[in-house]
């Protein structure tokens, strides 16, 4: 099971002559486009895949997630907090049933010390964090042989042409290192091998071939170069399986497209609307004021300096800076709602007593319901200043979209953006005009385009046939490996093993 994180199926199809391995898999494998919660919460896809549960049940929507009790952001992997999430991955159940299993660099996996198999996380993937392993000696061996975090750090600021070229080269080297490490670990005993490759995800954010001042200054073929190298390295892994009876799931849990995020407005929108709700006046400037000194420094420092500083500082310092810039100076007694970090979505959290500390609204109160209705109505009037088109196409309530036992870890409202690209100026009769530019340097951003390419024998394809959602991928692996009854399927002419030979059984 090999996940190409945030791989764009549309981009792959547009460049098939340059991607022969992926082209061959699309031609001979069983392709299925899948449903995914990324349409609302892009960063929830890996825990949804791992646990087989929707976000309301596992509680994860972002790797650096809001804690209402602490009124700050915390890493999901924080051992003081991670116990509260529904996190048991499907491969633990498979391993406990006696199937030799390796889980290598699966995003947001937790509690390596409990893993009944070899589990290595965060050696080289998109989100920052400390690398951990169920077998520390295996992680040390990987670092010694193939380097420490070959993919490097992600710094969401605009990059120069030179920096983009360096990112391209680093990602090409990183995917070679990921393939080397994958092949090295495959020499150990296994019947289930689950891994994630994150280089096209990083490349899609920083190197997407799109024009616009919101994007970094990448060469037109930079992202394709990363896909081409990924294709070559995928070919190396498949060549190692040729002649065996190994079945393959190649999947992407979400995709990427040209960036259309508008979350750069959200903090100022809510500041102004909350002031209106509380009967307070607005300042007359169209420029949003800095919340505090740390936020001012993040805005004032040149992107190149921020990029260099973030690359040098440890994650604890970075986390402190982010928390100070986003929450420092906020008067919680006058904060009915506030924005929370996301991958570009508009995520709003309501300040509810017993969940937030101290909290603004009583849970379940008429005042809270009235405020949500009031806020939704006022958000819906916001337009793009130049064109008059709506800023927001839909407002989703999380109670409706993701109910579950851990729903309170999630945001409360999700804004779907209407414009096709980031805009600079918005306005409404309630908030006046706001002018601010998206400053992440991301030419590409997430969408919900998930897919699966399956290759294997009839028994394997029988197990895969019911899969329609990314949450069902792990169940298909369990069904196949543990011999449970699978749903019947229509026989496919492409049911050969990934090495091209007849495949009577799983590896």
């Amino acid at each position: 099971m090999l996940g190409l994180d945030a791989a764009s199926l549309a981009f792959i199809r547009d460049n098939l002559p340059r991607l022969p391995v992926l082209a061959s898999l699309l031609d001979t494998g069983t392709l299925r486009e899948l449903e995914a919660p990324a349409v609302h919460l892009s960063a929830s896809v890996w825990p949804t895949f791992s646990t087989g549960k929707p976000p309301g049940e596992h509680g994860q929507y972002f790797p650096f997630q809001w804690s209402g009790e602490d009124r700050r952001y915390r890493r999901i992997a924080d051992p003081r907090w991670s116990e509260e999430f529904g996190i048991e991955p499907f491969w633990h159940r498979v391993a406990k049933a006696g199937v030799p299993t390796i889980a290598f660099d699966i995003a947001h996996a937790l509690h390596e010390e409990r893993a009944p198999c070899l589990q290595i996380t965060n050696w080289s993937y998109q989100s920052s964090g400390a690398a951990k392993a169920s077998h520390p000696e295996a992680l040390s061996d990987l670092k010694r042989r193939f380097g420490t975090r070959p993919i490097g750090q992600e710094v969401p600021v605009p990059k120069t042409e030179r920096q983009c070229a360096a990112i391209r080269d680093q990602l090409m080297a990183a995917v070679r290192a990921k393939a080397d490490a994958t092949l090295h670990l495959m020499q150990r005993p296994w019947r289930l091998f689950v891994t994630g490759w994150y280089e096209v995800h990083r490349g899609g954010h920083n190197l997407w071939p799109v024009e616009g001042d919101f994007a970094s200054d990448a060469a037109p073929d930079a992202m394709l170069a990363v896909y081409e190298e990924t294709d070559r390295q995928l070919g190396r892994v498949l060549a190692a399986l040729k002649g065996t009876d190994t079945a393959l799931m190649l999947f992407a849990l979400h995709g990427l497209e040209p960036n259309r995020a508008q979350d750069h407005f959200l903090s100022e929108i809510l500041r102004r609307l909350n002031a209106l709700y509380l009967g307070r006046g607005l300042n007359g400037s169209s420029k949003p004021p800095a919340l505090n000194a740390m936020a001012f420094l993040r805005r004032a420092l040149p992107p190149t300096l921020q990029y260099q500083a973030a690359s040098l500082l440890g994650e604890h310092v970075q986390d402190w800076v982010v928390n100070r810039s986003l929450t420092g100076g906020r008067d919680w007694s006058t904060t009915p709602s506030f924005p929370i970090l996301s991958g570009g979505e508009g995520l709003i959290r309501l300040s509810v007593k017993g969940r937030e500390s101290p909290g603004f609204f009583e849970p379940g109160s008429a005042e809270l319901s009235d405020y949500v209705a009031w806020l939704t109505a006022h958000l819906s009037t916001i337009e793009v200043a130049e064109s008059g088109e709506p800023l927001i196409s839909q407002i989703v309530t999380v109670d409706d979209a993701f109910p579950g036992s851990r729903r309170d870890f999630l945001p409360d409202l999700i804004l779907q953006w209407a414009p096709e690209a980031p805009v600079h100026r918005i306005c409404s009769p309630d908030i006046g005009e706001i002018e601010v530019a998206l400053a992440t340097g991301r030419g590409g951003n997430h969408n919900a385009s998930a897919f699966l390419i399956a290759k294997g024998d009839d028994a394997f394809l029988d197990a895969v046939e019911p899969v329609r959602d990314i949450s069902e991928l792990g169940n298909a692996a369990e069904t196949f490996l543990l011999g449970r009854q699978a749903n019947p399927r229509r026989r496919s002419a492409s049911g050969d093993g990934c090495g091209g030979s007849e495949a009577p059984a799983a590896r």
Side-chain angles (χ1 to χ4, degrees):
M1 302 180 73
L2 195 156
L4 293 181
D5 191 34
S8 168
L9 183 58
F11 186 81
I12 291 169
R13 283 171 162 161
D14 287 344
N15 293 280
L16 287 178
R18 306 278 292 271
L19 306 170
V21 175
L22 287 165
S24 176
L25 288 173
L26 285 170
D27 183 52
T28 62
T30 298
L31 172 67
R32 180 164 297 147
E33 298 186 39
L34 305 176
E35 297 294 320
V39 67
H40 298 311
L41 297 172
S42 62
S44 70
V45 294
W46 280 100
T48 297
F49 159 78
S50 298
T51 64
K53 299 177 181 178
E57 291 295 338
H58 60 66
Q60 298 185 47
Y61 71 89
F62 206 62
F64 193 48
Q65 187 163 312
W66 178 254
S67 167
E69 182 179 359
D70 299 324
R71 289 188 304 183
R72 65 183 178 91
Y73 294 93
R74 298 172 65 176
R75 292 183 183 271
I76 290 295
D78 185 337
R80 297 165 294 178
W81 200 29
S82 58
E83 295 289 347
E84 300 184 37
F85 297 98
I87 54 169
E88 184 185 34
F90 68 87
W91 62 84
H92 283 197
R93 295 190 295 272
V94 172
K96 289 175 182 176
V99 176
T101 298
I102 297 174
F104 176 38
D105 258 9
I106 301 301
H108 310 170
L110 301 172
H111 297 301
E112 292 73 19
E113 72 280 0
R114 301 179 191 168
C117 59
L118 175 56
Q119 178 174 306
I120 298 172
T121 60
N122 208 14
W123 173 67
S124 184
Y125 67 36
Q126 169 67 10
S127 302
S128 62
K132 298 179 181 179
S134 58
H135 299 60
E137 71 283 356
L139 176 59
S140 297
D141 181 55
L142 281 192
K143 291 180 176 180
R144 178 178 59 82
R145 291 174 181 270
F146 311 115
T148 300
R149 196 174 179 83
I151 199 171
Q153 299 285 344
E154 167 76 325
V155 185
V157 298
K159 283 86 173 178
T160 65
E161 181 179 5
R162 183 176 180 179
Q163 288 169 332
C164 287
I167 289 172
R168 175 202 61 202
D169 294 345
Q170 181 174 27
L171 293 177
M172 293 172 69
V175 75
R176 290 193 293 270
K178 178 57 71 78
D180 288 341
T182 300
L183 290 165
H184 177 69
L185 291 173
M186 283 167 55
Q187 296 175 24
R188 293 170 173 257
W190 60 273
R191 289 186 62 223
L192 172 63
F193 195 111
V194 192
T195 185
W197 291 16
Y198 303 88
E199 292 75 20
V200 296
H201 184 165
R202 179 73 58 81
H205 279 319
N206 296 284
L207 308 176
W208 194 280
V210 62
E211 294 184 2
D213 56 9
F214 59 89
S216 293
D217 192 11
D221 61 350
M223 189 172 85
L224 179 56
V226 178
Y227 270 79
E228 288 177 317
E229 189 61 42
T230 300
D231 191 78
R232 283 190 287 270
Q233 299 309 315
L234 178 60
R236 290 178 60 210
V237 172
L238 297 186
L241 301 175
K242 191 171 184 178
T244 73
D245 56 2
T246 306
L248 172 70
M249 287 190 198
L250 182 76
F251 60 89
L253 302 178
H254 57 1
L256 280 169
E257 65 184 2
N259 201 348
R260 53 188 299 171
Q262 316 293 339
D263 57 318
H264 48 296
F265 294 111
L266 191 52
S267 179
E268 182 63 7
I269 288 172
L270 290 181
R271 189 190 72 81
R272 296 189 186 192
L273 286 179
N274 283 334
L276 183 65
Y277 177 76
L278 296 171
R280 302 186 176 195
L282 306 178
N283 69 49
S285 173
S286 66
K287 302 278 188 179
L291 285 174
N292 52 57
M294 190 61 66
F296 172 78
L297 288 173
R298 290 188 80 205
R299 291 188 179 119
L301 288 177
T304 297
L305 184 56
Q306 292 188 47
Y307 183 76
Q308 293 171 347
S311 299
L312 293 173
L313 297 173
E315 67 179 52
H316 294 298
V317 176
Q318 293 179 49
D319 293 355
W320 180 82
V321 169
V322 172
N323 269 304
R324 285 293 299 168
S325 66
L326 295 178
T327 64
R330 177 172 279 139
D331 182 355
W332 292 98
S333 67
T334 59
T335 305
S337 64
F338 53 98
I340 51 178
L341 281 175
S342 76
E345 306 95 321
L347 304 185
I348 297 175
R349 179 92 169 176
L350 303 170
S351 182
V352 178
K353 293 179 180 179
R355 190 183 70 176
E356 265 64 38
S357 176
F360 189 94
F361 296 105
E362 292 291 342
S365 65
E367 183 186 14
L368 174 58
S369 297
D370 290 345
Y371 173 77
V372 171
W374 179 91
L375 180 63
T376 299
H378 285 73
L379 288 169
S380 299
T381 68
I382 301 173
E383 298 178 345
V384 178
E386 289 83 358
S387 66
E389 70 175 311
L391 178 70
I392 299 162
S393 62
Q394 184 182 15
I395 301 175
V396 176
T397 59
V398 171
D399 284 335
D400 293 333
F402 300 116
S405 60
R406 293 178 176 84
R407 174 261 172 272
D408 277 350
F409 288 110
L410 307 180
D412 296 295
L413 300 175
I414 303 171
L415 311 185
Q416 300 293 309
W417 307 118
E420 292 297 319
V423 299
H424 291 176
R425 288 194 305 132
I426 59 172
C427 61
S428 83
D430 306 308
I431 64 173
E433 184 175 288
I434 299 175
E435 182 178 359
V436 61
L438 182 67
T440 61
R442 290 184 165 183
N445 212 353
H446 310 101
N447 65 17
S449 179
F451 67 90
L452 164 70
I453 303 173
K455 293 198 70 174
D457 67 3
D458 284 352
F460 174 68
L461 294 177
D462 279 342
V464 169
E465 197 282 332
V467 174
R468 297 295 184 273
D469 188 280
I470 66 168
S471 63
E472 298 165 346
L473 290 166
N475 183 66
E478 288 188 74
T479 298
F480 179 54
L481 289 165
L482 303 184
R484 299 203 305 269
Q485 180 66 40
N487 291 336
R489 65 163 186 89
R490 293 179 181 270
R491 184 175 179 85
S492 168
S494 57
D496 57 309
C498 62
S501 60
E502 292 186 3
R507 178 181 173 115

